[in-house]
Amino acid sequence: MGRCRRRTVISGIALICGMTLCSCSTTTEDSSVVTKPTPVEIVGLVGNKTNSRASQGLQSTALSTEVKMGLLAYNAADQTAEGTNPYMYTIAEGGKMSCSTTNTLYYPFNGDALNIYSFIPYNDATSGYSDKDATTYTFSILSDQTSDANYLTSDLMYGSFLNATETNQPSIRYYHKTARLDVNLTRDATLDMKYLKGATFSIVGVKPKVKILLSDGTVTTDDTAEEVSVDFLKIPTDASDDLTTFNASLRFPAQTFTGGNDFMRITFANGNTSSIKLKNTFTAVNGTYYPYSFTLSPTSVTIDSQLAKFSEVNINGSATEQ
């Protein structure tokens, strides 16, 4: 389930201007040849605006066109930075990723290949990622993921491509670098819908930060970061009385949740809260997703829940779920 652009400018445009030749007959001969640089375009990725996070399909089989991609480029021969990193790319429908026109990445005139290291999302928080070997870059998920935009902002992805040239154009496979929890909520018929209208659902005790090494995409959870509660679902106050199921997803770094501790919190419209404890300890791994299903009864605390691990989808062109 959605988009990007970047830029590096090569200024070696060759202008070959013929000298003006003058004779008694005043005959003049002019000639000029202009060689233009070739911009680096990323191909093979498919954007899809129709997916919705509520369907738990957002960015699981195609990149969202609502996010941007960041890119670091290095000369493959000597590993020197190519122009000014990072570059920003947008993702369009049909799979074409195009570089920003304000800082465009071009293939070197001498034919040297480029090594490309790419991350999603590119935004104000990640625009400082400029060195593939830096060990200090921290990525943080948002504590409010009740909207598609905030969910996408929390979905860290990485991909790379080596030895890109005009005849070997990059097609990048992206990997999710955090875990995903798919929450499936069922309202028991004995629970009046009026109690759920305006309620916010959160996962508590979440470590929100990771460090990422862009040279190979290695991600490590920052265990020193303060734990947060992550809101993932807010039921509208005008929701239909007939609703019985609710589905939403959230992104979070790899970590262990201890059985017996509070796991999910419901904050009702009147400010009252109810917490659901996790029955068994489980360890979430980056690049995986976990379905979490339970039934809301009038007690709201005796909820039967299970967690199961599945292999997460990779993004690669049309990217089918595996």
Side-chain angles (χ1 to χ4, degrees), residues 112-130:
D112 283 353
L114 297 177
N115 288 345
I116 291 171
Y117 309 90
S118 173
F119 59 90
I120 295 171
Y122 175 92
N123 52 34
D124 290 344
T126 61
S127 61
Y129 295 1
S130 59

Side-chain angles (χ1 to χ4, degrees), residues 122-144:
Y122 175 92
N123 52 34
D124 290 344
T126 61
S127 61
Y129 295 1
S130 59
D131 182 355
K132 69 179 178 64
D133 297 314
T135 59
T136 57
Y137 295 149
T138 297
F139 179 87
S140 299
I141 62 167
L142 297 182
S143 59
D144 179 2

Side-chain angles (χ1 to χ4, degrees), residues 15-282:
L15 295 176
I16 303 176
C17 300
M19 295 181 62
T20 301
L21 304 177
C22 299
S23 67
C24 295
S25 62
T26 68
T27 300
T28 301
E29 181 180 274
D30 293 323
S31 64
S32 63
V33 177
V34 178
T35 301
K36 296 182 179 180
T38 301
V40 176
E41 294 183 344
I42 313 298
V43 297
L45 296 175
V46 178
N48 190 340
K49 287 186 176 180
T50 61
N51 290 327
S52 168
R53 189 184 65 88
S55 70
Q56 301 177 338
L58 186 58
Q59 213 157 226
S60 68
T61 59
L63 292 177
S64 169
T65 58
E66 301 305 314
V67 294
K68 294 180 175 63
M69 178 266 279
L71 182 150
L72 309 185
Y74 291 82
N75 186 289
D78 58 16
Q79 285 300 294
T80 56
E82 189 71 21
T84 304
N85 288 321
Y87 296 89
M88 185 274 289
Y89 277 70
T90 59
I91 305 173
E93 299 289 347
K96 180 179 180 180
M97 305 175 79
S98 302
C99 195
S100 166
T101 57
T102 59
N103 181 28
T104 304
L105 175 63
Y106 296 102
Y107 289 107
F109 271 108
N110 63 4
D112 283 353
L114 297 177
N115 288 345
I116 291 171
Y117 309 90
S118 173
F119 59 90
I120 295 171
Y122 175 92
N123 52 34
D124 290 344
T126 61
S127 61
Y129 295 1
S130 59
D131 182 355
K132 69 179 178 64
D133 297 314
T135 59
T136 57
Y137 295 149
T138 297
F139 179 87
S140 299
I141 62 167
L142 297 182
S143 59
D144 179 2
Q145 296 185 34
T146 57
S147 69
D148 284 0
N150 284 6
Y151 173 87
L152 289 170
T153 299
S154 303
D155 189 4
L156 177 63
M157 304 180 74
Y158 174 84
S160 62
F161 191 93
L162 303 182
N163 297 311
T165 64
E166 291 187 55
T167 57
N168 183 35
Q169 295 189 6
S171 176
I172 300 178
R173 172 179 291 185
Y174 287 91
Y175 296 91
H176 294 279
K177 307 306 289 188
T178 57
R180 187 181 94 211
L181 185 70
D182 293 341
V183 182
N184 304 291
L185 231 152
T186 300
R187 177 176 65 88
D188 188 89
T190 60
L191 178 63
D192 196 313
M193 182 60 194
K194 68 180 181 182
Y195 296 112
L196 295 181
K197 292 182 179 182
T200 299
F201 292 77
S202 313
I203 299 299
V204 301
V206 178
K207 295 180 176 68
K209 297 182 179 182
V210 298
K211 291 186 179 299
I212 181 169
L213 181 64
L214 293 172
S215 60
D216 61 6
T218 298
V219 165
T220 54
T221 301
D222 184 357
D223 289 324
T224 66
E226 183 177 356
E227 294 180 350
V228 299
S229 298
V230 179
D231 299 342
F232 62 88
L233 173 66
K234 185 176 179 61
I235 299 178
T237 56
D238 60 351
S240 170
D241 292 335
D242 298 327
L243 290 179
T244 57
T245 59
F246 310 89
N247 304 304
S249 303
L250 67 148
R251 285 280 173 184
F252 59 96
Q255 57 197 275
T256 296
F257 295 88
T258 303
N261 288 349
D262 288 348
F263 182 64
M264 188 175 73
R265 182 177 62 225
I266 308 171
T267 304
F268 298 99
N270 62 5
N272 291 340
T273 62
S274 179
S275 295
I276 293 94
K277 295 184 182 298
L278 187 64
K279 284 188 174 182
N280 301 309
T281 297
F282 86 99

